Amino acid sequence: AQSVTQLDSHVSVSEGTPVLLRCNYSSSYSPSLFWYVQHPNKGLQLLLKYTSAATLVKGINGFEAEFKKSETSFHLTKPSAHMSDAAEYFCGLRGYALNFGKGTSLLVTP
Amino acid sequence: DADVTQTPRNRITKTGKRIMLECSQTKGHDRMYWYRQDPGLGLRLIYYSFDVKDINKGEISDGYSVSRQAQAKFSLSLESAIPNQTALYFCATSDLDTPNTGELFFGEGSRLTVL
């Protein structure tokens, strides 16, 4: 079965500190994985995607994610949080559509 | 103009009313999708269509129907709206050429409130 689990529903960080948003997946074949961001009252914007090329994927706005097959994980990181990073983040696994996790709400405090 | 356009953006209706949410796209993609978003539940797939003659149910299709009027248009209908269909609805598209690796492109959402 294809599924995605986002391990934290809420993450709070201080501005300037690292961000870690965790995503585990279950897939019976080589996965394609995505991270999307949703700012308030907006649609979803693609941050980055893994499609069996390099395991370390760089995305927009300084975000990156590492695909670890042995850990079935695709965690999203950023070295230094900015206030504008406060948003909802969704991990997605490609099947006939995208199967999304339940989302992680990132709060960035001054 | 947005590549994926949803109308209306906001709608308040009453229980039992018929509602249609419309989606049009200028990306030239064959595949289109409808999702609903609820707090704490993420996005769940309602219906998807791989071309004009192909429509498939997603995980939560009960109470919904769709129509693919053309390659560029995909409408979602609630025949008799109920309060637990209050949610944010998203339309999305993807490219047929990269079915397993291609990203989805989303509209800005249609917020539906059923009283």
Side-chain angles (χ1 to χ4, degrees), chain A:
Chain A
Q2 302 275 98
S3 67
V4 168
T5 302
Q6 291 183 243
L7 300 175
D8 305 292
S9 58
H10 295 85
V11 170
S12 181
V13 301
S14 299
E15 189 175 22
T17 65
V19 176
L20 171 63
L21 305 182
R22 299 182 295 166
C23 174
N24 286 356
Y25 71 91
S26 174
S27 177
S28 53
Y29 48 82
S30 182
S32 293
L33 291 156
F34 301 77
W35 276 101
Y36 282 82
V37 61
Q38 183 185 26
H39 288 98
N41 300 313
K42 294 291 186 182
L44 276 74
Q45 179 186 17
L46 180 70
L47 278 176
L48 49 80
K49 64 180 180 181
Y50 167 78
T51 57
S52 74
T55 57
L56 183 61
V57 182
K58 294 188 183 299
I60 62 172
N61 300 332
F63 284 94
E64 62 182 36
E66 186 172 8
F67 172 73
K68 292 187 177 180
K69 184 177 180 179
S70 61
E71 298 177 10
T72 60
S73 69
F74 189 57
H75 300 336
L76 182 70
T77 60
K78 183 174 181 178
S80 177
H82 191 274
M83 296 296 290
S84 61
D85 294 328
E88 190 85 12
Y89 291 79
F90 293 96
C91 182
L93 173 65
R94 197 74 165 94
Y96 49 79
L98 264 183
N99 299 318
F100 286 98
K102 293 184 178 182
T104 298
S105 180
L106 177 63
L107 174 67
V108 182
T109 58

Side-chain angles (χ1 to χ4, degrees), chain B residues 6-11 13 17-23 34 64-69 73-81 89 110-112:
Chain B
Q6 294 183 229
T7 55
R9 294 291 312 280
N10 289 282
R11 181 72 182 269
T13 191
K17 294 292 188 180
R18 183 178 187 274
I19 293 296
M20 178 180 287
L21 306 179
E22 297 183 325
C23 177
W34 276 105
Y64 301 94
S65 63
V66 290
S67 173
R68 186 79 184 267
Q69 300 95 325
K73 296 184 182 295
F74 192 36
S75 300
L76 177 71
S77 293
L78 289 69
E79 295 300 325
S80 179
Y89 291 85
S110 295
R111 186 169 297 280
L112 176 65

Side-chain angles (χ1 to χ4, degrees), chain B residues 50-90:
Chain B
F50 285 172
D51 63 42
V52 175
K53 296 182 179 180
D54 177 78
I55 292 179
N56 305 279
K57 293 182 177 181
E59 62 180 295
I60 55 162
S61 59
D62 287 349
Y64 301 94
S65 63
V66 290
S67 173
R68 186 79 184 267
Q69 300 95 325
Q71 185 208 34
K73 296 184 182 295
F74 192 36
S75 300
L76 177 71
S77 293
L78 289 69
E79 295 300 325
S80 179
I82 56 177
N84 75 2
Q85 291 177 313
T86 293
L88 183 58
Y89 291 85
F90 284 103

